[in-house]
Amino acid sequence: MTSTVPALGTRTAEGSALQAVLLDMDGTLVDTEGFWWDVEVEIFAGLGHALDDSWRHVVVGGPMSRSAGFLIEATGADITLAELSVLLNQGFEDRIDRALPLMPGAARLLGELSAYEIPTALVSASHRRIIDRVLSSLGAHHFALTVAGDEVRRTKPDPEPYLFAAAGLGVDPARCAVIEDTATGVAAAEAAGCQVVAVPSVAPIAPAARRTVVTSLEVVDLAFLQGLMTEMG
């Protein structure tokens, strides 16, 4: 079959062009970072503890084991990490069943990457059960690979999830563009050697080498991502 999509090209003779796009989920593609905090506040209120709003910046973007562990230690709540993890997942699922708002520009970007057949992976610290629920709204067909936080030995900020995704797609991490919304995710992607586009959701993220900060996915398209690779190449 002949494609009707104009060829932008994803590789050059110098090997400097975009090979894949790896995307975070919560706060990057779906507007759900606030959901996690709301669930945490609700659960700890039921346990008789009020969460300090300043802790939100500590727990955002991290693996559940780290954020939940921090909140247990900070509050002294009488609950185990395993018990809290179950409650957090259940509470989050209840919220996304009621509403799952996409971030502005997310649907358009995913559609464009699919149209041009750019290898794309979803790389999240959320558990598989959560990712599969969200994929029903995002569209699983947009992703050649999805990586959940409970499927790797070390999740973000460790580089393992992004290295795992690049290996699964058969691409060079240095030729991957990663889109993230938190400092934790940015650290993971940069440690993996990827080019990073940061779209801050809760806390500010400063520009740096191999890191471009934008205000919204609405300014990110395939040409933008390929331009980043041309600049570094």
Side-chain angles (χ1 to χ4, degrees):
M1 178 181 295
T2 302
S3 173
T4 59
V5 178
L8 291 184
T10 58
R11 288 184 171 81
T12 66
E14 296 77 25
S16 64
L18 182 69
Q19 291 184 356
V21 178
L22 316 178
L23 301 114
D24 174 54
M25 187 177 76
D26 294 303
T28 299
L29 292 175
V30 290
D31 192 7
T32 51
E33 285 292 7
F35 285 14
W36 286 111
W37 179 249
D38 291 344
V39 171
E40 289 160 348
V41 168
E42 182 179 287
I43 291 171
F44 278 90
L47 295 171
H49 299 274
L51 300 188
D52 191 310
D53 196 61
S54 66
W55 296 344
R56 183 172 182 174
H57 298 301
V58 179
V59 301
V60 67
M64 184 179 296
S65 58
R66 189 195 74 185
S67 57
F70 168 83
L71 293 174
I72 291 172
E73 183 176 352
T75 61
D78 184 18
I79 190 170
T80 67
L81 181 59
E83 290 169 339
L84 180 56
S85 295
V86 170
L87 293 177
L88 288 171
N89 276 321
Q90 289 176 340
F92 186 79
E93 287 179 22
D94 288 343
R95 277 166 172 74
I96 63 176
D97 283 345
R98 295 197 296 267
L100 183 60
L102 301 188
M103 298 299 288
R108 174 201 47 78
L109 177 59
L110 290 175
E112 183 179 16
L113 295 175
S114 291
Y116 284 97
E117 300 182 349
I118 305 300
T120 303
L122 185 68
V123 183
S124 176
S126 291
H127 290 187
R128 170 55 59 185
R129 59 186 282 187
I130 297 295
I131 288 181
D132 287 345
R133 297 287 279 270
V134 173
L135 280 174
S136 63
S137 295
L138 272 180
H141 62 282
H142 290 305
F143 304 99
L145 177 70
T146 61
V147 180
D150 55 344
E151 295 173 341
V152 291
R153 291 172 298 172
R154 296 176 297 276
T155 189
K156 305 172 187 179
D158 192 274
E160 182 180 346
Y162 283 113
L163 293 174
F164 183 86
L169 294 175
V171 297
D172 179 358
R175 304 303 174 192
C176 293
V178 168
I179 304 179
E180 273 279 0
D181 72 303
T182 67
T184 299
V186 166
E190 290 180 341
C194 303
Q195 181 76 34
V196 178
V197 177
V199 192
S201 63
V202 175
I205 299 174
R210 297 184 63 84
R211 181 195 310 167
T212 301
V213 181
V214 298
T215 57
S216 169
L217 282 183
E218 292 180 300
V219 303
V220 180
D221 58 15
L222 181 53
F224 176 92
L225 297 174
Q226 289 180 320
L228 296 179
M229 294 299 168
T230 300
E231 292 172 11
M232 64 163 278

